[in-house]
Amino acid sequence: MRKLRQTIVLAIVTLTAICAMAQTAKKHEFRGAWLHIIGQNQYAKMTPEETRNYLVGQLNELKACGVNAVIWQIRPQADAAYPSQIEPWSKWISGTSGVAPNPVWDPLQFMIDECHKRGMELHAWINPYRVTSSKTDEPAKGHVYYKHPEWFVKYADGKIYFDPALPESRNFIDKVVRDIISRYEVDAIHMDDYFYPYPVPGVDFPDDASWEKYGKGQGWTDRGDWRRHNVDLLIEQLHKTLQEVKPWVQFGISPFGIWRNKDVDPRGSETKGLQCYDALYADCPKWTKEGWVDYMVPQLYWEQEHPRANGKVLMHWWNGEAYGRGMYYGFSVHNMMGSKDTRDTTINNQLGEKMELLRTLEHVNGVVWWPGYTVTANHKQVGDMLKKTYMVSQALPPTYTWLDNKAPEAVSKISVEQSKSGTTLSWEAPKATDEMQKAARYVVYRFKKGEPVDINKAEAIVEITGETRYCTKSTEKGAFVYAVTAVDRCNNESAPVKVEVEIVGGR
């Protein structure tokens, strides 16, 4: 009897949580997943066809789990997971640095096409300064490292880096980004936490020569301030390049989760860990405050009760650093699913605790899963929980109103075709000459006939797609109203176009 009562109580608690999450379903919420290639040896072992099939499987499962943006790593170490005239092929794709996959194909273009087909954003993830990934690693033949060795330094960790102080380094990285956004329809350029390298204890970064020329030589007295200025210059330069070439392309940064500790800086958080401001020379909140960065994803990988980097403390702290830009939190799936809920230790994970807190924070509007592979593998049932409780309804990413706030025109010529296999809606994209107002994706809503057509109702979304057609998945007979809207690259949404559909039989 006691066990039965416990089972009933647990069922009630679970149902209450599900209902609460349903009530807070968001129409706009960034739901990202990082897919890294560095250290992922499976790609080099696959044929191109096997890789494409594998990636399709990853995207299908991420979409099913509610993910609407994929952060795909394309430049882990001054190389390219795409055909480039500037940098060599990445060994993490082909198996050998500088050698193209055989037969040659374009993983970046493939991921763009497949993400956009599914109504998902593709964020191109680059690492700015790292050139090698281990002590034994060497740049590929023909790498710019051999043409301009004076641009680079080797740190005590054994890895080679661009010297961030040099204008030549910044200009080269800018050239790479300009090439990517000129040739590809990516939705964003994304950088993670690697700016100046993570410090080796007791060993300073070897930039004495550039400090003499560009630091002390130009009036700087504090080396830390000068290094932060060097990184600021790169961030500002890339922002200006995006605005010049394709102003709808976002710029996102995923910094280390602690900016500064409060015992060092009164603005800092009540933490005791490594500080990205002092160790990596990255003053990340400044970049959103200046308007150089469109969204920030602090890596809040720690458990909620961590003694030196308390997750709850950091979630509240970063909420105050959005400055009107996107603020999303990066969560480690392994850590989150392996830590007990601090409110109820009978719950063996912190997914609900983190998601429920995140959705109460005024300036936070999204989450990114690290790594996406753990979501698709359903690690400790995380995928099941996202599908059934925390990301039941689909969502659009937030609107980027500072880039554009004008909605596209509505779709036209919506039609319905019914057959034994199902009911298909088709429509035409709105006409637009302004790139900002071109449709990037479409939202399909479903309402029972007589029910108010309210496109603010997230639960009514049945599909977000990049295609101009939708085959209904409903097996329920009856009369329905479908509404279709167009969404531009900044996620502004058009007025709906409605059509009544009588479904007489399921598939």
Side-chain angles (χ1 to χ4, degrees):
M1 182 62 72
R2 182 179 178 184
K3 185 175 182 181
L4 177 61
R5 284 199 300 269
Q6 289 175 333
T7 302
I8 292 172
V9 169
L10 180 60
I12 292 171
V13 170
T14 303
L15 182 60
T16 301
I18 292 172
C19 291
M21 295 308 291
Q23 290 170 359
T24 58
K26 287 192 171 185
K27 167 76 175 292
H28 288 271
E29 183 174 62
F30 192 89
R31 300 173 178 177
W34 282 292
L35 291 181
H36 59 297
I37 63 171
I38 192 167
Q40 295 295 299
N41 295 315
Q42 72 267 29
Y43 293 110
K45 296 174 183 177
M46 295 177 183
T47 65
E49 183 178 3
E50 289 170 338
T51 302
R52 289 189 289 270
N53 290 337
Y54 174 78
L55 290 172
V56 164
Q58 294 291 307
L59 295 181
N60 285 343
E61 185 59 21
L62 288 173
K63 169 93 174 180
C65 291
V67 169
N68 57 24
V70 173
I71 303 174
W72 169 242
Q73 192 174 36
I74 66 166
R75 185 185 185 260
Q77 49 183 90
D79 52 4
Y82 59 94
S84 171
Q85 297 298 314
I86 302 172
E87 294 184 304
W89 273 98
S90 174
K91 69 178 181 180
W92 303 110
I93 289 293
S94 68
T96 304
S97 295
V99 176
N102 185 24
V104 177
W105 67 297
D106 191 336
L108 175 55
Q109 188 61 57
F110 178 81
M111 288 292 280
I112 292 169
D113 292 342
E114 292 297 318
C115 283
H116 288 177
K117 184 192 304 182
R118 291 165 175 76
M120 305 162 80
E121 292 186 346
L122 188 285
H123 294 219
W125 170 13
I126 70 170
N127 183 281
Y129 302 121
R130 183 176 56 205
V131 179
T132 56
S133 57
S134 70
K135 293 181 179 180
T136 58
D137 197 10
E138 293 183 357
K141 183 180 178 180
H143 195 281
V144 67
Y145 170 77
Y146 300 110
K147 300 174 185 176
H148 293 284
E150 70 277 10
W151 295 358
F152 302 87
V153 295
K154 193 168 188 177
Y155 186 41
D157 59 5
K159 300 173 187 177
I160 297 170
Y161 299 90
F162 282 92
D163 185 344
L166 303 182
E168 294 88 350
S169 295
R170 295 191 292 273
N171 290 338
F172 184 85
I173 297 164
D174 180 80
K175 180 181 178 181
V176 170
V177 170
R178 186 178 292 266
D179 175 62
I180 293 167
I181 63 173
S182 296
R183 294 198 290 130
Y184 294 98
E185 291 300 324
V186 298
D187 296 289
I189 292 294
H190 179 94
M191 290 182 182
D192 54 11
D193 52 320
Y194 292 96
F195 293 98
Y196 277 82
Y198 280 83
V200 174
V203 184
D204 200 13
F205 188 73
D207 56 0
D208 288 345
S210 51
W211 166 242
E212 291 295 326
K213 182 176 181 179
Y214 294 105
K216 285 179 17 180
Q218 295 186 7
W220 288 90
T221 57
D222 186 282
R223 202 153 176 166
D225 288 342
W226 170 71
R227 286 173 176 168
R228 280 181 286 275
H229 173 69
N230 295 334
V231 181
D232 288 349
L233 288 174
L234 174 67
I235 301 301
E236 183 180 18
Q237 182 172 349
L238 295 181
H239 164 72
K240 289 178 178 178
T241 294
L242 294 176
Q243 288 293 298
E244 174 194 336
V245 180
K246 287 183 178 174
W248 56 86
V249 175
Q250 307 154 55
F251 189 13
I253 304 285
S254 175
F256 182 75
I258 298 173
W259 175 70
R260 299 196 93 186
N261 300 311
K262 197 163 191 175
D263 62 356
V264 173
D265 188 322
R267 279 187 54 211
S269 53
E270 291 281 5
T271 50
K272 298 288 185 181
L274 181 141
Q275 306 165 111
C276 66
Y277 181 93
D278 301 272
L280 310 179
Y281 304 99
D283 189 3
C284 308
K286 176 181 178 180
W287 305 337
T288 45
K289 192 173 184 179
E290 294 290 341
W292 299 336
V293 168
D294 299 299
Y295 70 83
M296 197 70 69
V297 191
Q299 296 174 16
L300 305 186
Y301 292 168
W302 303 280
E303 59 270 26
Q304 295 298 75
E305 72 283 13
H306 193 285
R308 290 178 288 111
N310 184 288
K312 282 183 280 194
V313 166
L314 287 165
M315 288 179 73
H316 283 286
W317 188 87
W318 280 100
N319 178 57
E321 300 297 321
Y323 301 107
R325 296 296 190 259
M327 178 63 71
Y328 322 131
Y329 288 167
F331 292 148
S332 163
V333 173
H334 280 288
N335 192 311
M336 178 179 65
M337 299 306 291
S339 302
K340 290 183 182 293
D341 191 304
T342 63
R343 306 161 305 175
D344 181 353
T345 56
T346 65
I347 301 174
N348 290 322
N349 64 80
Q350 293 184 351
L351 173 59
E353 182 175 7
K354 285 177 177 284
M355 289 299 293
E356 288 160 30
L357 174 56
L358 180 147
R359 285 172 171 165
T360 67
L361 298 173
E362 182 181 2
H363 304 299
V364 181
N365 198 14
V367 60
V368 184
W369 306 114
W370 169 256
Y373 302 110
T374 54
V375 174
T376 59
N378 198 25
H379 175 71
K380 293 191 175 181
Q381 288 74 55
V382 65
D384 291 341
M385 296 172 72
L386 293 179
K387 293 173 187 176
K388 295 175 183 178
T389 306
Y390 300 103
M391 292 185 178
V392 178
S393 60
Q394 296 188 57
L396 286 165
T399 52
Y400 310 113
T401 52
W402 55 92
L403 298 178
D404 173 52
N405 61 6
K406 183 179 178 181
E409 296 296 322
V411 303
S412 60
K413 296 183 180 179
I414 191 166
S415 62
V416 179
E417 181 181 342
Q418 292 186 315
S419 66
K420 291 181 180 179
S421 61
T423 302
T424 300
L425 307 181
S426 301
W427 57 89
E428 288 189 4
K431 292 181 172 59
T433 55
D434 185 344
E435 287 290 338
M436 284 291 205
Q437 268 59 65
K438 287 185 177 179
R441 59 192 67 89
Y442 305 92
V443 186
V444 182
Y445 302 84
R446 179 174 178 265
F447 305 89
K448 289 184 178 180
K449 188 175 181 180
E451 179 185 359
V453 174
D454 179 6
I455 65 170
N456 292 313
K457 188 177 179 182
E459 312 90 85
I461 298 174
V462 293
E463 185 61 286
I464 299 174
T465 178
E467 301 183 320
T468 55
R469 62 192 301 274
Y470 166 70
C471 186
T472 67
K473 297 179 176 67
S474 173
T475 58
E476 181 182 353
K477 298 179 183 179
F480 302 94
V481 175
Y482 283 85
V484 180
T485 62
V487 179
D488 66 20
R489 291 181 174 103
C490 293
N491 296 308
N492 300 294
E493 189 174 17
S494 76
V497 174
K498 298 174 282 188
V499 61
E500 291 189 10
V501 177
E502 182 81 26
I503 298 178
V504 296
R507 294 191 286 163

Short mmCIF file of all heavy atoms in Angstrom, two decimals, residues 89-127:
data_model
loop_
_atom_site.label_atom_id
_atom_site.label_comp_id
_atom_site.label_asym_id
_atom_site.label_seq_id
_atom_site.Cartn_x
_atom_site.Cartn_y
_atom_site.Cartn_z
N TRP A 89 41.49 21.55 -45.69
CA TRP A 89 40.44 20.66 -45.19
C TRP A 89 40.78 20.18 -43.78
O TRP A 89 41.93 19.90 -43.45
CB TRP A 89 40.29 19.44 -46.10
CG TRP A 89 39.37 19.65 -47.25
CD1 TRP A 89 39.72 19.96 -48.55
CD2 TRP A 89 37.95 19.56 -47.23
NE1 TRP A 89 38.59 20.08 -49.32
CE2 TRP A 89 37.48 19.83 -48.54
CE3 TRP A 89 37.00 19.28 -46.23
CZ2 TRP A 89 36.13 19.82 -48.87
CZ3 TRP A 89 35.66 19.27 -46.56
CH2 TRP A 89 35.23 19.54 -47.86
N SER A 90 39.74 20.07 -42.96
CA SER A 90 39.91 19.60 -41.59
C SER A 90 40.12 18.10 -41.54
O SER A 90 39.40 17.34 -42.20
CB SER A 90 38.70 19.98 -40.75
OG SER A 90 38.79 19.42 -39.46
N LYS A 91 41.08 17.67 -40.74
CA LYS A 91 41.30 16.24 -40.57
C LYS A 91 40.12 15.56 -39.89
O LYS A 91 39.94 14.34 -39.98
CB LYS A 91 42.57 15.98 -39.76
CG LYS A 91 42.49 16.39 -38.30
CD LYS A 91 43.78 16.04 -37.56
CE LYS A 91 43.71 16.41 -36.08
NZ LYS A 91 44.96 16.08 -35.37
N TRP A 92 39.30 16.34 -39.19
CA TRP A 92 38.17 15.76 -38.48
C TRP A 92 37.05 15.36 -39.44
O TRP A 92 36.11 14.68 -39.04
CB TRP A 92 37.66 16.72 -37.41
CG TRP A 92 38.73 17.10 -36.44
CD1 TRP A 92 39.35 18.30 -36.31
CD2 TRP A 92 39.34 16.24 -35.47
NE1 TRP A 92 40.31 18.26 -35.34
CE2 TRP A 92 40.33 17.00 -34.80
CE3 TRP A 92 39.17 14.91 -35.11
CZ2 TRP A 92 41.11 16.47 -33.78
CZ3 TRP A 92 39.95 14.38 -34.09
CH2 TRP A 92 40.90 15.15 -33.45
N ILE A 93 37.16 15.77 -40.68
CA ILE A 93 36.20 15.35 -41.71
C ILE A 93 36.79 14.26 -42.59
O ILE A 93 36.17 13.22 -42.85
CB ILE A 93 35.76 16.54 -42.59
CG1 ILE A 93 34.85 17.48 -41.78
CG2 ILE A 93 35.04 16.08 -43.85
CD1 ILE A 93 33.50 16.90 -41.40
N SER A 94 38.02 14.46 -43.07
CA SER A 94 38.61 13.53 -44.03
C SER A 94 39.54 12.49 -43.40
O SER A 94 39.83 11.47 -44.01
CB SER A 94 39.39 14.31 -45.09
OG SER A 94 40.54 14.91 -44.53
N GLY A 95 40.05 12.77 -42.21
CA GLY A 95 41.02 11.88 -41.57
C GLY A 95 42.43 12.38 -41.67
O GLY A 95 43.28 11.98 -40.87
N THR A 96 42.72 13.26 -42.64
CA THR A 96 44.07 13.79 -42.82
C THR A 96 43.99 15.28 -43.09
O THR A 96 43.25 15.72 -43.99
CB THR A 96 44.77 13.11 -44.01
OG1 THR A 96 44.77 11.69 -43.81
CG2 THR A 96 46.21 13.61 -44.15
N SER A 97 44.73 16.07 -42.33
CA SER A 97 44.72 17.52 -42.52
C SER A 97 45.11 17.88 -43.94
O SER A 97 46.11 17.35 -44.47
CB SER A 97 45.68 18.19 -41.54
OG SER A 97 45.26 18.02 -40.22
N GLY A 98 44.36 18.76 -44.54
CA GLY A 98 44.68 19.24 -45.89
C GLY A 98 44.21 18.35 -47.00
O GLY A 98 44.37 18.70 -48.18
N VAL A 99 43.63 17.20 -46.68
CA VAL A 99 43.15 16.27 -47.71
C VAL A 99 41.63 16.29 -47.74
O VAL A 99 40.96 16.15 -46.71
CB VAL A 99 43.64 14.83 -47.42
CG1 VAL A 99 43.06 13.85 -48.42
CG2 VAL A 99 45.17 14.80 -47.45
N ALA A 100 41.08 16.46 -48.93
CA ALA A 100 39.62 16.53 -49.10
C ALA A 100 39.00 15.15 -48.94
O ALA A 100 39.66 14.13 -49.20
CB ALA A 100 39.28 17.10 -50.47
N PRO A 101 37.75 15.08 -48.51
CA PRO A 101 37.06 13.79 -48.49
C PRO A 101 36.93 13.24 -49.90
O PRO A 101 36.92 14.01 -50.88
CB PRO A 101 35.70 14.11 -47.88
CG PRO A 101 35.51 15.59 -48.07
CD PRO A 101 36.87 16.19 -48.07
N ASN A 102 36.83 11.95 -50.02
CA ASN A 102 36.76 11.31 -51.34
C ASN A 102 35.52 10.42 -51.42
O ASN A 102 35.39 9.47 -50.66
CB ASN A 102 38.02 10.48 -51.58
CG ASN A 102 38.06 9.88 -52.97
OD1 ASN A 102 37.43 10.38 -53.88
ND2 ASN A 102 38.80 8.79 -53.12
N PRO A 103 34.58 10.75 -52.36
CA PRO A 103 34.60 11.90 -53.27
C PRO A 103 34.34 13.21 -52.52
O PRO A 103 33.76 13.21 -51.44
CB PRO A 103 33.47 11.59 -54.25
CG PRO A 103 32.54 10.72 -53.48
CD PRO A 103 33.38 9.89 -52.57
N VAL A 104 34.79 14.30 -53.15
CA VAL A 104 34.67 15.62 -52.53
C VAL A 104 33.19 15.99 -52.39
O VAL A 104 32.40 15.77 -53.31
CB VAL A 104 35.41 16.68 -53.36
CG1 VAL A 104 35.20 18.07 -52.74
CG2 VAL A 104 36.89 16.36 -53.44
N TRP A 105 32.84 16.52 -51.25
CA TRP A 105 31.50 17.06 -51.04
C TRP A 105 31.60 18.22 -50.07
O TRP A 105 32.68 18.52 -49.56
CB TRP A 105 30.55 15.98 -50.53
CG TRP A 105 30.83 15.46 -49.15
CD1 TRP A 105 31.95 14.79 -48.73
CD2 TRP A 105 30.01 15.60 -47.99
NE1 TRP A 105 31.86 14.48 -47.40
CE2 TRP A 105 30.67 14.96 -46.91
CE3 TRP A 105 28.75 16.17 -47.75
CZ2 TRP A 105 30.13 14.90 -45.62
CZ3 TRP A 105 28.21 16.10 -46.48
CH2 TRP A 105 28.90 15.48 -45.43
N ASP A 106 30.49 18.89 -49.80
CA ASP A 106 30.50 20.10 -48.99
C ASP A 106 29.62 19.89 -47.76
O ASP A 106 28.40 20.09 -47.80
CB ASP A 106 29.97 21.28 -49.82
CG ASP A 106 30.19 22.62 -49.13
OD1 ASP A 106 30.30 22.64 -47.90
OD2 ASP A 106 30.22 23.65 -49.84
N PRO A 107 30.21 19.49 -46.62
CA PRO A 107 29.41 19.27 -45.41
C PRO A 107 28.65 20.50 -44.93
O PRO A 107 27.54 20.38 -44.42
CB PRO A 107 30.45 18.83 -44.38
CG PRO A 107 31.58 18.27 -45.18
CD PRO A 107 31.63 19.11 -46.42
N LEU A 108 29.24 21.68 -45.10
CA LEU A 108 28.56 22.89 -44.64
C LEU A 108 27.30 23.15 -45.46
O LEU A 108 26.23 23.40 -44.90
CB LEU A 108 29.50 24.09 -44.69
CG LEU A 108 28.87 25.45 -44.35
CD1 LEU A 108 28.19 25.42 -42.99
CD2 LEU A 108 29.92 26.56 -44.40
N GLN A 109 27.42 23.09 -46.78
CA GLN A 109 26.24 23.31 -47.61
C GLN A 109 25.17 22.26 -47.35
O GLN A 109 23.97 22.56 -47.31
CB GLN A 109 26.62 23.31 -49.10
CG GLN A 109 25.48 23.72 -50.03
CD GLN A 109 25.00 25.14 -49.75
OE1 GLN A 109 25.79 26.09 -49.80
NE2 GLN A 109 23.74 25.29 -49.41
N PHE A 110 25.60 21.03 -47.15
CA PHE A 110 24.66 19.96 -46.86
C PHE A 110 23.90 20.25 -45.57
O PHE A 110 22.66 20.12 -45.51
CB PHE A 110 25.41 18.63 -46.73
CG PHE A 110 24.53 17.47 -46.38
CD1 PHE A 110 23.78 16.82 -47.36
CD2 PHE A 110 24.44 17.01 -45.06
CE1 PHE A 110 22.96 15.75 -47.03
CE2 PHE A 110 23.62 15.94 -44.73
CZ PHE A 110 22.88 15.31 -45.72
N MET A 111 24.61 20.67 -44.52
CA MET A 111 23.95 20.96 -43.25
C MET A 111 23.03 22.17 -43.35
O MET A 111 21.95 22.20 -42.73
CB MET A 111 25.00 21.16 -42.16
CG MET A 111 25.70 19.88 -41.75
SD MET A 111 24.59 18.72 -40.90
CE MET A 111 24.58 19.42 -39.25
N ILE A 112 23.43 23.17 -44.11
CA ILE A 112 22.54 24.32 -44.32
C ILE A 112 21.24 23.87 -44.98
O ILE A 112 20.14 24.20 -44.53
CB ILE A 112 23.24 25.40 -45.19
CG1 ILE A 112 24.39 26.04 -44.42
CG2 ILE A 112 22.24 26.46 -45.64
CD1 ILE A 112 25.29 26.91 -45.27
N ASP A 113 21.37 23.11 -46.07
CA ASP A 113 20.19 22.67 -46.80
C ASP A 113 19.28 21.81 -45.93
O ASP A 113 18.05 21.98 -45.93
CB ASP A 113 20.61 21.88 -48.05
CG ASP A 113 21.30 22.74 -49.09
OD1 ASP A 113 21.16 23.98 -49.03
OD2 ASP A 113 22.00 22.17 -49.96
N GLU A 114 19.87 20.88 -45.21
CA GLU A 114 19.06 19.95 -44.41
C GLU A 114 18.42 20.65 -43.20
O GLU A 114 17.29 20.33 -42.84
CB GLU A 114 19.92 18.77 -43.95
CG GLU A 114 20.37 17.86 -45.08
CD GLU A 114 19.19 17.19 -45.78
OE1 GLU A 114 18.24 16.75 -45.10
OE2 GLU A 114 19.22 17.10 -47.03
N CYS A 115 19.14 21.58 -42.60
CA CYS A 115 18.54 22.34 -41.49
C CYS A 115 17.41 23.23 -41.98
O CYS A 115 16.32 23.25 -41.41
CB CYS A 115 19.60 23.19 -40.79
SG CYS A 115 20.70 22.25 -39.69
N HIS A 116 17.66 23.95 -43.05
CA HIS A 116 16.64 24.86 -43.56
C HIS A 116 15.40 24.11 -44.06
O HIS A 116 14.27 24.58 -43.89
CB HIS A 116 17.23 25.73 -44.67
CG HIS A 116 18.18 26.76 -44.16
ND1 HIS A 116 18.88 27.62 -44.98
CD2 HIS A 116 18.54 27.09 -42.88
CE1 HIS A 116 19.63 28.43 -44.25
NE2 HIS A 116 19.45 28.12 -42.97
N LYS A 117 15.60 22.96 -44.64
CA LYS A 117 14.46 22.13 -45.07
C LYS A 117 13.55 21.82 -43.88
O LYS A 117 12.32 21.75 -44.02
CB LYS A 117 14.99 20.83 -45.69
CG LYS A 117 13.93 19.91 -46.26
CD LYS A 117 14.51 18.54 -46.59
CE LYS A 117 15.68 18.61 -47.53
NZ LYS A 117 16.20 17.25 -47.86
N ARG A 118 14.15 21.63 -42.73
CA ARG A 118 13.41 21.28 -41.52
C ARG A 118 12.95 22.50 -40.73
O ARG A 118 12.43 22.37 -39.61
CB ARG A 118 14.27 20.37 -40.62
CG ARG A 118 14.51 19.00 -41.20
CD ARG A 118 15.64 18.26 -40.50
NE ARG A 118 15.79 16.90 -41.01
CZ ARG A 118 16.35 16.58 -42.17
NH1 ARG A 118 16.85 17.55 -42.96
NH2 ARG A 118 16.42 15.33 -42.56
N GLY A 119 13.17 23.70 -41.27
CA GLY A 119 12.78 24.91 -40.55
C GLY A 119 13.70 25.26 -39.41
O GLY A 119 13.34 26.02 -38.51
N MET A 120 14.94 24.73 -39.42
CA MET A 120 15.90 24.98 -38.35
C MET A 120 16.97 25.96 -38.83
O MET A 120 17.29 26.02 -40.02
CB MET A 120 16.58 23.65 -37.94
CG MET A 120 15.60 22.57 -37.53
SD MET A 120 16.34 20.90 -37.56
CE MET A 120 17.24 20.91 -36.00
N GLU A 121 17.54 26.71 -37.89
CA GLU A 121 18.65 27.59 -38.22
C GLU A 121 19.97 26.80 -38.20
O GLU A 121 20.09 25.82 -37.46
CB GLU A 121 18.76 28.74 -37.21
CG GLU A 121 17.61 29.73 -37.29
CD GLU A 121 17.80 30.92 -36.37
OE1 GLU A 121 18.68 30.88 -35.47
OE2 GLU A 121 17.06 31.92 -36.54
N LEU A 122 20.92 27.26 -39.01
CA LEU A 122 22.27 26.68 -39.00
C LEU A 122 23.26 27.77 -38.61
O LEU A 122 23.42 28.77 -39.31
CB LEU A 122 22.61 26.10 -40.37
CG LEU A 122 23.91 25.28 -40.53
CD1 LEU A 122 25.17 26.13 -40.54
CD2 LEU A 122 24.03 24.22 -39.44
N HIS A 123 23.90 27.57 -37.47
CA HIS A 123 24.90 28.50 -36.97
C HIS A 123 26.28 27.91 -37.21
O HIS A 123 26.58 26.81 -36.74
CB HIS A 123 24.68 28.77 -35.49
CG HIS A 123 23.40 29.50 -35.19
ND1 HIS A 123 23.32 30.47 -34.23
CD2 HIS A 123 22.16 29.40 -35.73
CE1 HIS A 123 22.09 30.94 -34.18
NE2 HIS A 123 21.36 30.29 -35.10
N ALA A 124 27.10 28.62 -37.98
CA ALA A 124 28.43 28.13 -38.34
C ALA A 124 29.41 28.47 -37.22
O ALA A 124 29.70 29.63 -36.94
CB ALA A 124 28.88 28.77 -39.65
N TRP A 125 29.95 27.42 -36.61
CA TRP A 125 30.76 27.54 -35.40
C TRP A 125 32.24 27.50 -35.77
O TRP A 125 32.72 26.53 -36.35
CB TRP A 125 30.37 26.40 -34.47
CG TRP A 125 31.20 26.15 -33.27
CD1 TRP A 125 32.16 26.93 -32.71
CD2 TRP A 125 31.12 24.97 -32.45
NE1 TRP A 125 32.68 26.34 -31.59
CE2 TRP A 125 32.05 25.13 -31.40
CE3 TRP A 125 30.33 23.82 -32.49
CZ2 TRP A 125 32.24 24.16 -30.43
CZ3 TRP A 125 30.52 22.86 -31.52
CH2 TRP A 125 31.46 23.04 -30.50
N ILE A 126 32.95 28.57 -35.41
CA ILE A 126 34.39 28.65 -35.70
C ILE A 126 35.16 28.91 -34.41
O ILE A 126 34.63 29.48 -33.45
CB ILE A 126 34.72 29.74 -36.72
CG1 ILE A 126 34.52 31.14 -36.12
CG2 ILE A 126 33.87 29.59 -37.98
CD1 ILE A 126 35.04 32.27 -36.98
N ASN A 127 36.40 28.46 -34.37
CA ASN A 127 37.32 28.83 -33.31
C ASN A 127 38.28 29.85 -33.89
O ASN A 127 38.91 29.58 -34.90
CB ASN A 127 38.08 27.60 -32.80
CG ASN A 127 38.98 27.94 -31.63
OD1 ASN A 127 40.06 28.49 -31.83
ND2 ASN A 127 38.54 27.65 -30.42
#
